[in-house]
Amino acid sequence: MRIWGGGIYEDDAFYDACDELGLMVWQDFLFACAAYPEEQPLRGEVEAEARDNVVRLMPHPSLVL
C-alpha cells in the first residue's frame, strides 16, 4: 500500500495494524506535489520533519520504502 506524497503520515495505530496484518507500506515524504524553496527556514523544517518521521516509523516492519 502506498501513502502518497501529498497525503499525511498516518498515526501509529495504522502502522501497528499493518505490522500485524503483514501489509507492506510505501510511505512517501510529504513534499511530492510542488516545488519547494531550498533555502532556510523551510529547508531546516523539512529536514526536521524527515528526521522525526524516519525515527518514528523505523521500528515498523511493515514499512518497506
Side-chain angles (χ1 to χ4, degrees):
M1 145 179 350
R2 180 178 177 203
I3 310 299
W4 71 289
I8 61 171
Y9 292 106
E10 297 289 345
D11 62 20
D12 290 329
F14 170 81
Y15 296 100
D16 290 339
C18 289
D19 294 345
E20 282 187 37
L21 296 171
L23 295 174
M24 295 184 294
V25 178
W26 169 332
Q27 174 67 62
D28 288 346
F29 285 106
L30 303 188
F31 301 97
C33 297
Y36 295 95
E38 296 179 20
E39 297 83 26
Q40 295 295 351
L42 185 60
R43 180 180 179 159
E45 293 172 14
V46 169
E47 289 175 6
E49 179 175 324
R51 190 174 299 111
D52 289 347
N53 281 290
V54 166
V55 169
R56 180 176 76 91
L57 299 176
M58 183 173 28
H60 291 283
S62 59
L63 190 67
V64 294
L65 186 67

